[in-house]
Amino acid sequence: MNIAVLADRLELGGVETHILSQVNELLLRGHKVLLSSVAVYQELLEKLKAHPNFEYIPFDERYVDRCREFRPDLIHAHPFQAIIEGHKLAKILDIPFFVTVHGPYDYGLDRSPLGYQVCTTVKRIIAVNLTVASFLLNGTAHPEKVSVIRNGIDLKEFPVLSTDKSLCREYGLDPEWFTSVVISRFGDGKERPIRQLLRVSLILAEKLKGWNLVLVGDGPFITSLEKEAEGLQHPLLRIKFVGRQTEVRKFLQMADLVFASGRAALEAMACQRPVFAMNSPGFGSLVDLATHTDYIFRRWGYEFPADEELVKRIASSCQEEKLNQAAFEGHMIVKKHYNLFETTTQLERVYYEYTGKSV
């Protein structure tokens, strides 16, 4: 099939990484993909540019004509303005239109006059988890079109990784100390749990008898967080901000424990690294068979505990037996529920249902 994929901005984040992973898997299956956005980090396209069936075009005055030349069988849009543009394009070309929603928002799909128009055009509204599905069922103009397909992880790109603490030396860290890696955006509320983590870092460093804290990511609050970290001096604590990274696997390899949520958590779990759930609403606990449905699929159960409770919760989780169990169970969870190969097959079934195409 010829598939036109629309997104607002393709920057370094969970949603954007998912879109590109999904496009890559569709290309591997023999589909042709036209990807469009208002802006893009060019380094994110490097893995796709060489594929003969892939084309990227920006939203500009020639956008509709170039899409028509591509002769898409369907259009698949991701929030936000891309949903409106996808609706317009689908009407012009008279082809099926699909939307994936990655968070609890209904922009372009609500019960406004425009939302009713878009929802009349769209064939299926795909939610990536239960919280998103519940939000859409209560807010969208056509709740009967809502279904769930989880965001998948490419298990070939994120295989099981062995621990390599020697990598700590590259960043001036002590390879003998317990190493935690935070993978997050430093904004959109996700800076708040990072601030609390920094606030309790001196106490945790003493309890762990040496703590490396590595922070991967960027965002509007990175400068203020770095300034807060500069004031935290302790002989058993080393804090390192490494900024935005397109390759996170080496940081996962050095990690005894990863603090993350969403796609970053799933990537770490795929690599069989233990994950402590941390998101904009606060902290959870270790992600395992008992907790993953809430922390990953429902996005529930997060809170901001008192500093003393947070220290106790993290320190208790750092026992070797608990870490090994969480790592093993986390990997099995991704293999069973978030395997990109399986989620793409689910997506193809939806495409085939409405385009009349066959496998």
Side-chain angles (χ1 to χ4, degrees):
M1 287 187 291
N2 290 358
I3 302 168
V5 178
L6 281 61
D8 277 16
R9 303 180 67 86
L10 292 171
E11 301 172 331
L12 196 63
V15 172
E16 294 81 5
T17 305
H18 166 71
I19 293 171
L20 295 173
S21 295
Q22 188 75 82
V23 166
N24 189 58
E25 181 64 24
L26 290 168
L27 291 169
L28 290 174
R29 295 178 182 220
H31 302 291
K32 294 183 178 181
V33 178
L34 178 71
L35 178 62
S36 304
S37 66
V38 174
V40 64
Y41 284 4
Q42 289 299 319
E43 59 264 40
L44 296 181
L45 296 180
E46 291 303 318
K47 294 180 181 179
L48 301 174
K49 280 183 177 178
H51 201 290
N53 287 340
F54 174 75
E55 183 179 358
Y56 173 81
I57 62 172
F59 283 130
D60 58 23
E61 63 278 2
R62 295 189 58 235
Y63 168 73
V64 173
D65 289 336
R66 293 181 71 178
C67 280
R68 185 181 282 111
E69 292 169 5
F70 178 70
R71 301 180 64 184
D73 295 299
L74 63 95
I75 297 168
H76 193 149
H78 299 262
F80 292 92
Q81 186 61 29
I83 295 175
I84 309 302
E85 298 301 324
H87 158 70
K88 295 176 182 176
L89 187 61
K91 291 191 70 175
I92 292 171
L93 302 181
D94 191 25
I95 55 177
F97 173 46
F98 305 90
V99 171
T100 291
V101 181
H102 300 265
Y105 31 73
D106 55 9
Y107 180 90
L109 300 166
D110 59 8
R111 297 176 185 272
S112 67
L114 178 58
Y116 274 104
Q117 292 179 38
V118 175
C119 283
T120 299
T121 303
V122 71
K123 297 298 183 183
R124 190 79 71 89
I125 304 169
I126 299 168
V128 301
N129 59 49
L130 283 181
T131 296
V132 174
S134 178
F135 185 88
L136 291 169
L137 287 172
N138 289 317
T140 191
H142 281 276
E144 74 279 1
K145 295 183 178 183
V146 175
S147 60
V148 175
I149 298 178
R150 308 181 199 219
N151 283 344
I153 302 297
D154 187 345
L155 298 180
K156 299 184 296 296
E157 184 178 2
F158 293 94
V160 174
L161 297 176
S162 59
T163 303
D164 186 354
K165 298 297 286 290
S166 67
L167 294 168
C168 291
R169 293 191 180 93
E170 181 181 346
Y171 296 92
L173 307 172
D174 191 326
E176 300 299 321
W177 290 357
F178 191 92
T179 301
S180 296
V181 175
V182 173
I183 304 178
S184 179
R185 174 169 167 74
F186 302 152
D188 302 326
K190 293 182 179 180
E191 75 283 354
R192 294 185 298 160
I194 297 174
R195 290 191 193 283
Q196 186 175 11
L197 196 60
L198 290 174
R199 195 164 63 237
V200 301
S201 61
L202 299 177
I203 301 173
L204 275 170
E206 291 184 351
K207 285 188 173 292
L208 296 172
K209 297 180 173 58
W211 190 31
N212 299 314
L213 178 59
V214 183
L215 298 105
V216 181
D218 66 0
F221 289 92
I222 187 169
T223 301
S224 62
L225 290 170
E226 287 176 326
K227 287 182 178 178
E228 289 180 32
E230 287 175 1
L232 300 170
Q233 301 296 323
H234 194 288
L236 293 176
L237 175 65
R238 294 181 186 175
I239 301 174
K240 183 69 176 181
F241 286 80
V242 299
R244 177 169 59 92
Q245 300 287 326
T246 57
E247 173 54 74
V248 299
R249 284 178 296 188
K250 70 175 180 179
F251 298 102
L252 296 177
Q253 278 193 279
M254 71 172 70
D256 296 299
L257 179 63
V258 177
F259 288 88
S261 64
R263 184 176 183 87
L266 290 171
E267 290 174 351
M269 290 160 64
C271 294
Q272 204 162 308
R273 314 312 297 163
V275 171
F276 196 100
M278 186 184 80
N279 203 345
S280 54
F283 294 88
S285 61
L286 285 175
V287 180
D288 54 24
L289 288 173
T291 62
H292 77 95
T293 298
D294 280 350
Y295 295 151
I296 304 296
F297 196 36
R298 292 194 177 106
R299 303 288 179 95
W300 294 347
Y302 293 88
E303 63 177 351
F304 284 100
D307 287 356
E308 296 80 3
E309 171 60 25
L310 180 61
V311 169
K312 180 180 178 181
R313 193 179 298 182
I314 294 173
S316 173
S317 299
C318 292
Q319 300 172 24
E320 184 176 0
E321 183 177 350
K322 290 184 178 180
L323 293 173
N324 290 340
Q325 186 69 18
F328 175 79
E329 292 182 4
H331 176 69
M332 299 309 297
I333 289 163
V334 174
K335 281 185 66 176
K336 182 176 181 179
H337 298 295
Y338 298 92
N339 186 336
L340 180 64
F341 184 87
E342 299 296 338
T343 59
T344 303
T345 297
Q346 296 167 22
L347 183 62
E348 281 183 316
R349 293 192 191 111
V350 174
Y351 289 166
Y352 294 137
E353 178 182 354
Y354 292 98
T355 62
K357 303 284 184 177
S358 58
V359 179

